[in-house]
Every structure is written in C-alpha cells, then in structure tokens.
Amino acid sequence: GAGVSQSPSNKVTEKGKDVELRCDPISGHTALYWYRQSLGQGLEFLIYFQGNSAPDKSGLPSDRFSAERTGGSVSTLTIQRTQQEDSAVYLCASSISNSPLHFGNGTRLTVT
Amino acid sequence: QKEVEQNSGPLSVPEGAIASLNCTYSDRGSQSFFWYRQYSGKSPELIMFIYSNGDKEDGRFTAQLNKASQYVSLLIRDSQPSDSATYLCAARDMRGNNRLAFGKGNQVVVIP
C-alpha cells in the first residue's frame, strides 16, 4: 500500500480482555516501530523491529504487552488483560533503515 | 531529565508572522533530528529532518541545529491558519538503537 496501515482504527474493550492491534508497514520498509500516545501527551516508545527481530523492547510497559513481526512485514501488538490505563492511541511507524519514520493513522483503544 | 524537551506553552501568532519553536536534547549521541506536525486527532506527519549543524530550509520552514548546544529549532515563516497544530521534535541515536525519542510537543495557533 501507499502508506502505513493500522487496524482496527478504533477498539473498545472491557477491562481484562485481550486485544490485538495490527500494523502493515510501507512495502520495503525494514524498520517498524510502535508508539503509544495518551490524551494530551507526547509519543511513548514501545518497541522497535529491524526485520523480524526486536533489538529494542525497552519501552514495553509491562509483561502484558508483547509484539511480533512476521515475514519482515506485518506486525501485531498484543495487550493481555487490558487495564483502563492502557487506553490510548497506538501508533505504528515504518522506515527504511535510518530514514524518517512514516506513521499510520493509529488505533484508538478504549478500555472500559 | 527527559531526552527531548519542548518547554514552551501554546504559541499564538498572527497570520503572516514567524512562529519559532525550540527543542533541546540530552543525549550527545543523537545524530539526526526531526520535526513532525500533528493535527488534532490525526497522526504525526514529517515536516523537516536535519542531520548537520546549521540551517536547512524547505519552503516556509527552516530547521536549525546546534549540536554543541544540543538545540534544535523550527521556524515557520508567513504563518497560515493551516499551520495551527502541535509540533513534535524528535531525536534519533544512531549508535545502534534506532528509536526516535519525542518531545511532548508545542501547540501553535495562527490567528487570522
């Protein structure tokens, strides 16, 4: 596709449920990033993939958060046993090596 | 100390004036710097990137980098109402960790 694609665009879930967020990067982009943005806040780094490996998982807030990337393309961010503080916009970005990041439109997660 | 700091509050400028935004970073290993624009409810979009000391101009935008002072700025000339948005400064450490660290952003309001 022409840009980074994220799905779903909106997700409302009950506290304690698991959710999966999907990111389809720009074709050919080897690097993929997940960020989180809470209301009125800056971007919080979660995890970075180079190809299928994740050399930097330092931003994952807890062991309820995990991510994987397969085939050097699509990535899935999974949040288990969601909590209300997980409510935020989850942004995915991709890039070629060290070039600027290109962001998707995000997934707005609301945990009730 | 946060990695990237944008300390100014909301900036109001009259249409046609120059908007000036500042950003400081703490990691001397940072090698590349980015300015993103984010409209309310939208994802960040790249405005400028700069790698070398000095000025870089692109249309109405000028980015300035001073590595000795660990300081990055963005000037918006001939400000337009469509420039009203939040501007995010980001720095990347090129030593192996490819993530971008973002500041909290500065809101710009251009008054017609």
Side-chain angles (χ1 to χ4, degrees):
Chain A
V4 178
S5 177
Q6 291 188 246
S7 61
S9 54
N10 280 284
K11 176 71 177 178
V12 180
T13 190
E14 292 180 352
K15 177 181 173 181
K17 300 285 190 182
D18 297 352
V19 294
E20 281 191 358
L21 312 180
R22 176 188 167 103
C23 173
D24 199 344
I26 294 171
S27 179
H29 280 197
T30 54
L32 186 148
Y33 306 76
W34 284 98
Y35 285 83
R36 176 169 75 174
Q37 189 173 33
S38 301
L39 190 63
Q41 300 298 309
L43 273 69
E44 176 189 4
F45 170 79
L46 298 178
I47 189 169
Y48 152 67
F49 286 92
Q50 181 61 42
N52 289 337
S53 64
D56 189 350
K57 303 181 182 180
S58 62
L60 293 177
S62 75
D63 59 7
R64 295 186 296 105
F65 287 71
S66 63
E68 64 175 13
R69 188 180 186 194
T70 55
S73 182
V74 172
S75 176
T76 302
L77 177 69
T78 301
I79 309 173
Q80 296 178 307
R81 304 181 303 281
T82 51
Q83 303 295 312
Q84 288 185 329
E85 61 263 28
D86 300 334
S87 296
V89 175
Y90 288 80
L91 290 163
C92 177
S94 69
S95 72
I96 299 174
S97 186
N98 296 324
S99 66
L101 272 59
H102 298 270
F103 284 88
N105 289 328
T107 294
R108 182 175 299 276
L109 175 66
T110 303
V111 181
T112 61
Chain B
Q1 181 184 10
K2 289 192 178 295
E3 291 184 68
V4 177
E5 297 217 42
Q6 296 177 258
N7 287 327
S8 302
L11 178 65
S12 292
V13 295
E15 184 173 356
I18 296 175
S20 177
L21 302 171
N22 302 315
C23 168
T24 58
Y25 60 95
S26 61
D27 185 357
R28 285 195 175 275
S30 297
Q31 296 294 317
S32 53
F33 305 89
F34 306 85
W35 283 99
Y36 283 82
R37 178 176 63 199
Q38 187 173 27
Y39 292 115
S40 181
K42 302 294 186 183
S43 60
E45 55 179 326
L46 181 70
I47 297 296
M48 295 279 293
F49 60 90
I50 186 166
Y51 299 158
S52 303
N53 274 329
D55 295 359
K56 179 181 179 183
E57 186 174 317
D58 184 359
R60 295 185 296 109
F61 298 96
T62 298
Q64 299 172 317
L65 173 60
N66 183 325
K67 290 185 179 180
S69 300
Q70 296 176 243
Y71 174 95
V72 192
S73 66
L74 179 70
L75 299 177
I76 308 172
R77 289 182 300 283
D78 187 24
S79 296
Q80 302 297 308
S82 60
D83 295 327
S84 298
T86 295
Y87 290 80
L88 301 167
C89 175
R92 172 184 259 154
D93 177 355
M94 305 285 275
R95 290 174 294 186
N97 178 342
N98 259 345
R99 70 181 175 93
L100 261 65
F102 283 84
K104 283 194 170 182
N106 284 130
Q107 185 181 8
V108 172
V109 178
V110 180
I111 303 167

